[in-house]
Amino acid sequence: VPEDEACASEDCKSLHLKSILAFCGKFMLCITFSAVFVYASEVFPTSVRTQAMGISSLSARVGGISAPLVVLLSTASPSLPMWIFGVISIIAGLFSFRLPETNNRDLADDI
């Protein structure tokens, strides 16, 4: 089949790998967004929970708005958006180790 011969090139394999990685990244992003939303509601004290969740939601929306703009940087370098998203994700993951454990603990009522 001629389509299979055209897909045997290195460019096509790279495209498949990028597609698979993008799909896995989107899947992990959906899981993370849900988990962060639940965790954030537990970690903030009751007296400031609503404001803190609002600021958290605002930050998420700003990230969602700026993500397509980062993709436009691919005109400067094709791998630059992947590096930016990867480095920011790694930094966020490292910061998550500083978060307090909430398992079997009472939620804070005030600051």
Side-chain angles (χ1 to χ4, degrees), residues 10-99:
E10 193 65 33
D11 291 336
C12 189
K13 291 178 183 177
S14 175
L15 180 64
H16 288 302
L17 180 62
K18 286 181 184 178
S19 297
I20 290 169
L21 290 175
F23 179 76
C24 290
K26 179 67 175 171
F27 179 70
M28 295 299 167
L29 180 69
C30 291
I31 292 172
T32 303
F33 186 77
S34 299
V36 165
F37 196 76
V38 170
Y39 182 77
S41 66
E42 292 180 0
V43 77
F44 293 122
T46 304
S47 61
V48 295
R49 188 169 293 146
T50 304
Q51 292 89 357
M53 291 299 292
I55 292 171
S56 298
S57 180
L58 173 75
S59 300
R61 303 302 175 228
V62 169
I65 290 169
S66 62
L69 300 175
V70 172
V71 173
L72 293 176
L73 293 174
S74 65
T75 57
S77 171
S79 63
L80 187 59
M82 288 185 267
W83 277 102
I84 291 172
F85 290 134
V87 168
I88 289 173
S89 298
I90 290 170
I91 290 171
L94 292 174
F95 276 133
S96 71
F97 288 118
R98 306 252 322 135
L99 295 171

